[in-house]
Amino acid sequence: MLRSFARSASVLATPSASARVVLPLRRCFSEVLYAKSHEWVKLDSGIATIGISGHAQEKLGDVVFVELPETGSEIEASESFSNVESVKAVSGVYTPFAGEVVEANESLTDEPSLINSDPMGKGWIAKIKVSDESPKSELMSQEAYDKFLETCD
């Protein structure tokens, strides 16, 4: 899809049109950051979308239930705001940011296996309106997280 979008955008590109194309593309590729507790975070305009990493879901095994946070609830940084239950264990999901839960992924209620099949996409758990972004500096880039994973297990 990106290839066809880029091809059609380049055909239409003029100096002013190309500037309009760059902004949406930049938004599509917002940086994914990782916590040492294996949550991923996409921070966009003060809203953090949070889920568990592919590594975490692999270690958990088949997810059978997700306890979602309540929309409107206030949570503190480093607090467990959700539980993911698999055939092996129950694991807490932690947020690096304090804030208000503005959306929970209700799709997980009927289809918790989305965490296994698409942990970085349809398997997100919650969106939080962040009250303080300073903990962002403690999170890892993809490259740093990959190196961190080499020290795990």
Side-chain angles (χ1 to χ4, degrees):
M1 182 173 134
L2 288 175
R3 213 173 269 187
S4 66
F5 175 77
R7 200 175 312 119
S8 64
S10 65
V11 170
L12 300 172
T14 63
S16 61
S18 63
R20 285 192 295 266
V21 171
V22 170
L23 291 175
L25 285 176
R26 202 175 302 153
R27 271 192 100 181
C28 290
F29 296 107
S30 62
E31 183 180 26
V32 177
L33 300 170
Y34 297 87
K36 288 183 178 180
S37 53
H38 303 289
E39 290 84 11
W40 60 263
V41 178
K42 290 181 189 174
L43 194 59
D44 186 21
S45 302
I47 303 293
T49 302
I50 302 174
I52 66 169
S53 70
H55 174 79
Q57 68 81 22
E58 285 174 11
K59 293 297 181 187
L60 280 171
D62 294 336
V63 175
V64 295
F65 177 75
V66 180
E67 179 186 350
L68 295 170
E70 219 174 284
T71 300
S73 61
E74 293 287 331
I75 54 178
E76 297 299 320
S78 303
E79 179 180 285
S80 176
F81 68 94
S82 174
N83 286 307
V84 175
E85 183 178 338
S86 73
V87 294
K88 294 181 182 179
V90 175
S91 182
V93 180
Y94 298 85
T95 174
F97 301 108
E100 177 188 353
V101 176
V102 293
E103 187 178 353
N105 187 354
E106 297 295 336
S107 298
L108 297 176
T109 302
D110 295 327
E111 204 173 345
S113 63
L114 286 172
I115 287 181
N116 296 116
S117 62
D118 193 10
M120 304 288 291
K122 293 179 182 177
W124 62 273
I125 295 171
K127 295 185 180 189
I128 297 167
K129 183 178 180 182
V130 175
S131 59
D132 176 16
E133 291 187 18
S134 63
K136 179 180 177 181
S137 64
E138 298 171 22
L139 300 175
M140 296 176 276
S141 66
Q142 180 69 59
E143 182 180 346
Y145 183 66
D146 289 343
K147 286 180 184 175
F148 172 73
L149 290 177
E150 291 172 9
T151 67
C152 297
D153 301 329

